[in-house]
Amino acid sequence: MGFGRSPQEKETQRYKMEKVTIRLEHEHSAKLLERSKKVLAGGVSSEFRKFNHPHALFYESASGVHIKDVDGNVYLDFTLSQGPMIVGHSHPHVLNRIESCMSKGQLFAGQHELEIELAEKLNRHIPSAEMMRFCLDGSTAVQTALRIARAKTKKNKFIRFEGHYHGWLDNVSWGLTQDEGNMGERHSPLAIPWTEGIAKGSQDEFIILPWNDIDLVNQTLAQHHDEIAAIITEPIMCNSGCVLPEPDFLQGLRETTEKYGMALIFDEVITGFRTALGGAQQYYGVKPDLSVFAKAMASGFPISAIAGKKQWMQLVADSRVIHAGTMNSACALIAAALGTLEVLEESGTHERIFRLGKRLMQGLERVSQETGQNLLVQGLGPMFHTGFCDLKKIKEFRDLRHYKQPKSKMFIQGLQQRGIRVIGRGLWYISSVHTEEHIDHAILMAKDTLNELKSSDL
Ligand SMILES: Cc1ncc(COP(=O)(O)O)c(C=O)c1O
């Protein structure tokens, strides 16, 4: 079939360094932003889009690993739209899949067969996904998982970890900012709200802990287990420094949640389909009770899944836990997910994503050494993080305070000025259509940026 290889080969043939064209002008974007600010709050539709350089930018097209802004700058894309474009932008197989169902209707307020096809596929790939429901995004899928856990255990609180992002809704919008002096002691953190307007009392729904410390989790549970319905964790702390779990941490969570009869929830919104087709639970061999998938599932179309073991999901099947949504499972969304997963199922795809990611990580480490810089490159390969820091390893959220933020930011901006687009906080994503040539070009541009930074005072 060759869904994955053909566009990637085409991309290799087409790719020339001059494809990345940077004019360093954002005049048209600036004008659109001014116009946009009059009608869209802050000029954007998601908070994170504000943080581009030199301001929120407007884009007009994207194909494969390239994205073009309205001023004609073409970037080699490592943001992959915050993760979803794992098979590249505008993948022809995904678009064909969507097109083939569009003319037959879009949304039926009823079931259609493709939903079963998708659920069967996820059931085959994801170790713990015996039953599932589809939603529109990661944030609502997370809330569904918490609701199921509460209903089954008849307990109210959950344990979550500092620096883990589980969406923007009230009970998880805490503990995401570094505010020295206000964070409390490491062993009993104070959760700092991320935003105004959070419902009073939502901080009573959780206990927050530092990540990667199983002894502290166990001590906390020894005291509080009769209040706790679930532990929710990103299996890799992708949102704050791309920190891998310490050996046996995830297994430790599995054992302790089993002992107390509470749910272990993996938030696989980033790790799902990226670390393996079956997510981080397959990669690390630890089966949660419930897990949540979104980003890389459907090439940017809004679909997510809450999946789990039958004994937990049965509450939804029996309507004891309500899960609903007018737009859930619209035909195009399911088709986009099927198309994306079919590309990812091509043999060797994940091996390739890992290989390219590791090549890029090692290349960045090499040029950092060559230029005498302290760039810390940390992660798995399919996604990783860069920032300047004297530590050899970031282990938990509080360690992020060691990053030299202004310099890390200037590195990302310097890369952007050389046509390499990376998420502002230093997160890089690899797709199945990146090639060795793209990776080596990015390393070259990183070296150039590092040399420039060397001569600055930072
Ligand atoms: C780990 C994790 N969980 C949940 C979410 C929320 O997903 P969404 O933005 O689709 O609501 C995100 C988004 O970045 C995420 O990274």
Side-chain angles (χ1 to χ4, degrees):
M1 288 196 284
F3 302 133
R5 223 155 291 127
S6 59
Q8 161 200 314
E9 275 163 9
K10 273 190 221 149
E11 190 64 42
T12 310
Q13 285 161 14
R14 259 189 300 153
Y15 187 68
K16 301 206 173 61
M17 294 313 169
E18 57 264 34
K19 178 133 196 188
V20 173
T21 43
I22 292 296
R23 300 167 59 237
L24 293 180
E25 283 168 17
H26 300 103
E27 203 182 320
H28 195 184
S29 258
K31 279 191 189 139
L32 288 179
L33 183 60
E34 279 320 299
R35 183 175 146 210
S36 182
K37 277 181 176 169
K38 293 183 184 141
V39 281
L40 287 167
V44 296
S45 294
S46 170
E47 187 62 17
F48 298 111
R49 295 181 196 165
K50 278 187 185 166
F51 309 115
N52 227 307
H53 177 71
H55 46 69
L57 297 180
F58 286 74
Y59 296 88
E60 65 174 36
S61 60
S63 169
V65 291
H66 292 105
I67 181 161
K68 184 177 184 184
D69 72 20
V70 291
D71 287 283
N73 298 296
V74 180
Y75 307 89
L76 180 52
D77 191 16
F78 290 96
T79 73
L80 302 183
S81 310
Q82 298 272 2
M85 313 313 294
I86 191 167
V87 299
H89 295 275
S90 311
H91 194 290
H93 178 66
V94 177
L95 298 184
N96 287 340
R97 257 293 198 172
I98 296 165
E99 212 172 288
S100 67
C101 77
M102 278 308 281
S103 57
K104 296 184 193 151
Q106 292 78 50
L107 182 66
F108 304 132
Q111 293 304 113
H112 58 103
E113 195 173 336
L114 284 184
E115 287 180 65
I116 311 175
E117 201 182 310
L118 178 58
E120 286 171 345
K121 196 182 271 303
L122 297 191
N123 173 281
R124 279 198 302 278
H125 288 309
I126 300 168
S128 68
E130 293 170 10
M131 260 189 202
M132 67 206 75
R133 279 276 178 99
F134 298 125
C135 331
L136 291 177
D137 61 13
S139 299
T140 45
V142 162
Q143 295 302 321
T144 313
L146 293 173
R147 185 180 278 187
I148 295 168
R150 287 199 185 100
K152 183 152 170 67
T153 61
K154 306 272 185 277
K155 293 169 186 166
N156 193 52
K157 283 192 184 176
F158 56 94
I159 287 185
R160 54 163 305 228
F161 299 100
E162 285 184 307
H164 285 224
Y165 182 67
H166 299 297
W168 60 278
L169 301 176
D170 281 6
N171 57 4
V172 288
S173 285
W174 298 82
L176 296 165
T177 44
Q178 298 277 1
D179 184 359
E180 213 143 351
N182 278 329
M183 295 172 75
E185 296 295 320
R186 180 189 173 276
H187 61 274
S188 59
L190 293 175
I192 301 172
W194 187 37
T195 169
E196 293 184 28
I198 295 183
K200 219 172 167 185
S202 73
Q203 72 269 41
D204 301 333
E205 289 185 33
F206 60 86
I207 294 175
I208 195 160
L209 294 176
W211 198 54
N212 252 341
D213 185 341
I214 195 65
D215 291 340
L216 193 49
V217 171
N218 283 329
Q219 281 162 28
T220 307
L221 284 180
Q223 241 184 313
H224 295 282
H225 64 92
D226 53 358
E227 311 167 67
I228 307 290
I231 297 183
I232 184 167
T233 183
E234 291 183 63
I236 297 174
M237 188 167 75
C238 299
N239 279 295
S240 300
C242 212
V243 182
L244 304 184
E246 290 291 299
D248 298 336
F249 178 69
L250 296 178
Q251 184 56 32
L253 292 182
R254 178 62 288 177
E255 284 163 17
T256 203
T257 44
E258 219 148 60
K259 172 174 152 196
Y260 290 116
M262 55 190 66
L264 176 61
I265 304 173
F266 276 5
D267 180 343
E268 298 236 35
V269 166
I270 291 181
T271 52
F273 315 111
R274 177 163 283 286
T275 49
L277 269 167
Q281 56 194 272
Q282 180 186 355
Y283 185 81
Y284 287 111
V286 177
K287 256 195 204 184
D289 299 297
L290 295 164
S291 43
V292 169
F293 297 83
K295 291 188 191 273
M297 188 168 164
S299 296
F301 284 81
I303 179 165
S304 59
I306 154 77
K309 294 183 181 165
K310 194 165 173 231
Q311 73 212 65
W312 297 84
M313 292 304 294
Q314 192 63 39
L315 276 82
V316 180
D318 294 342
S319 303
R320 285 173 53 198
V321 168
I322 300 299
H323 160 262
T326 305
M327 250 65 113
N328 290 356
S329 286
C331 306
L333 313 183
I334 300 285
L338 283 167
T340 306
L341 295 175
E342 282 157 359
V343 177
L344 289 175
E345 281 167 348
E346 289 274 284
S347 97
T349 302
H350 281 90
E351 179 274 322
R352 177 187 168 73
I353 295 175
F354 270 82
R355 181 164 43 77
L356 291 176
K358 289 200 165 136
R359 182 185 179 107
L360 182 48
M361 289 176 74
Q362 283 161 7
L364 293 172
E365 277 165 358
R366 192 179 60 246
V367 294
S368 170
Q369 270 178 9
E370 283 169 8
T371 54
Q373 299 287 305
N374 56 350
L375 186 72
L376 179 64
V377 185
Q378 185 166 314
L380 198 62
M383 67 286 186
F384 63 89
H385 179 272
T386 52
F388 293 90
C389 169
D390 289 329
L391 297 182
K392 292 275 166 281
K393 183 176 171 183
I394 296 288
K395 201 175 152 205
E396 59 180 55
F397 185 56
R398 289 173 187 230
D399 290 345
L400 265 72
R401 287 178 290 185
H402 293 272
Y403 277 124
K404 315 262 177 295
Q405 291 303 351
K407 188 170 179 182
S408 302
K409 208 166 150 191
M410 277 190 72
F411 178 58
I412 300 301
Q413 290 174 1
L415 285 168
Q416 189 189 327
Q417 284 163 353
R418 290 164 176 79
I420 307 296
R421 189 172 180 244
V422 178
I423 294 173
R425 64 179 190 276
L427 190 62
W428 301 59
Y429 283 115
I430 307 295
S431 78
S432 63
V433 290
H434 280 105
T435 64
E436 272 84 0
E437 213 177 352
H438 297 134
I439 298 301
D440 294 346
H441 179 64
I443 296 168
L444 209 66
M445 293 300 101
K447 185 169 182 179
D448 201 39
T449 312
L450 288 168
N451 271 324
E452 185 180 65
L453 286 181
K454 204 162 62 169
S455 52
S456 78
D457 290 341
L458 288 166

